[in-house]
Amino acid sequence: MSAQILDGNALSKTIRAEVAQRAQALTARGVKPGLVVILVGENPASQVYVRNKVKACLDCGMHSVLEQYEATLSEAALLGHIARLNADPAIHGILVQLPLPKHIDEHKVIEAIAPEKDVDGFHVSNAGLLMTGNPLFRPCTPYGVMKMLAAAQVPIKGNHAVIVGRSNIVGKPMAMLLLQESATVTICHSATRDLKAMTLQADILVAAVGRPRMITGDMVKPGAVVVDVGINRLPDGKLCGDVDFASASEVASWITPVPGGVGPMTITMLLVNTIEAAERTL
Ligand code: NDP
């Protein structure tokens, strides 16, 4: 293996220590940063995610509450809970864990969150601010990727970033953040012709697809920085990314592992966004 590891666990630890200091400073000024995580239903993966998010907040000295509701909760009742939290001055961030049960309109729910408390950055006004180069919140996963690139001092300006995946939560905001740092950005998706021809041009390659090990070493330009956002569960229960780590790490200069890469950074940036929201209320 020749690539250096972009270690999300180590960087998270450093950033979370800074978050704890900022939380302490805010608390001393009478503003304890507060995040509410809402979970509707009993999706087992979601239950793990939300508990980890609440625990990470508490570990950093922030206020955090998990509001868990039955899968039968009506859309109107959920909107009512969001309205209550929007008006609660002790709460600076509101996160609704997705996916929601089918009878609830996710878009309507996200749009009901006050944009200044939308720590996931999914509200259309926050997407618009990001698009126009003046973000209020950066969506946590791409924000975490940018922090990892900065920590490794990866040059972005003028380099070609290729992103595989165009979701609203990862691919598109990732493209916006890289563009803001003056990368030349290509976004690939399921209708892209000759994906390999695209990925081979990447100085920075971001995989956010959800297909185990689809990016193999022969698709990576020698010396490229490879960021693997994918989290896939294999039949044996183990996790793997969208990148074939064994072959890609022979070619890349830097690479994120799965687990231990982008995953821990996503929760860390949720903490950062909550702190930023609380600081703005001073
Ligand atoms: P989505 O399913 O919303 O988007 C996947 C994207 O991949 C789509 O744009 C799709 O294209 C594209 N795609 C699918 N097949 C191909 C293909 N064969 N070639 C090229 N592009 C393809 O997923 P998310 O963005 O939500 O998540 C992506 C991955 O990242 C998942 O594994 C998810 O678990 C993980 N994830 C990890 C996080 C973390 O913290 N590390 C946070 C969020 C997600 P099209 O639009 O044309 O359908």
Side-chain angles (χ1 to χ4, degrees), residues 107-278:
H107 179 73
K108 207 166 168 183
V109 169
I110 290 167
E111 293 314 294
I113 299 172
E116 66 276 12
K117 296 192 180 188
D118 168 40
V119 283
D120 258 340
F122 296 164
H123 192 288
V124 287
S125 77
N126 283 323
L129 286 170
L130 177 65
M131 171 99 185
T132 48
N134 188 25
L136 185 67
F137 293 109
R138 296 157 183 85
C140 301
T141 301
Y143 193 6
V145 171
M146 296 306 287
K147 288 281 180 195
M148 293 176 97
L149 296 176
Q153 296 181 314
V154 172
I156 296 176
K157 187 174 177 179
N159 272 327
H160 190 178
V162 176
I163 301 158
V164 190
R166 58 171 165 181
S167 71
N168 289 335
I169 64 169
V170 188
K172 283 182 201 162
M174 187 77 255
M176 289 303 134
L177 290 175
L178 286 162
L179 192 59
Q180 210 177 342
E181 298 287 325
S182 296
T184 299
V185 179
T186 300
I187 307 175
C188 303
H189 45 77
S190 64
T192 296
R193 267 187 238 125
D194 200 351
L195 182 65
K196 183 176 172 182
M198 297 293 166
T199 60
L200 275 172
Q201 293 177 38
D203 302 305
I204 299 167
L205 177 59
V206 181
V209 181
R211 289 169 64 108
R213 299 180 182 138
M214 72 169 284
I215 305 289
T216 45
D218 60 321
M219 299 169 75
V220 176
K221 177 173 157 180
V225 175
V226 177
V227 178
D228 189 354
V229 177
I231 300 179
N232 306 292
R233 192 156 304 270
L234 297 170
D236 65 4
K238 289 194 180 140
L239 291 182
C240 84
D242 291 344
V243 175
D244 178 45
F245 185 87
S247 60
S249 60
E250 295 294 333
V251 189
S253 59
W254 289 91
I255 191 166
T256 63
V258 177
V262 178
M265 288 300 292
T266 296
I267 296 192
T268 298
M269 301 324 290
L270 171 67
L271 305 180
V272 171
N273 277 347
T274 306
I275 290 281
E276 288 178 3

Side-chain angles (χ1 to χ4, degrees), residues 14-24 60 62 268 271-272 275:
T14 308
I15 297 176
R16 287 188 198 195
E18 291 162 12
V19 165
Q21 279 180 359
R22 284 163 79 181
Q24 200 177 27
C60 287
M62 294 158 66
T268 298
L271 305 180
V272 171
I275 290 281

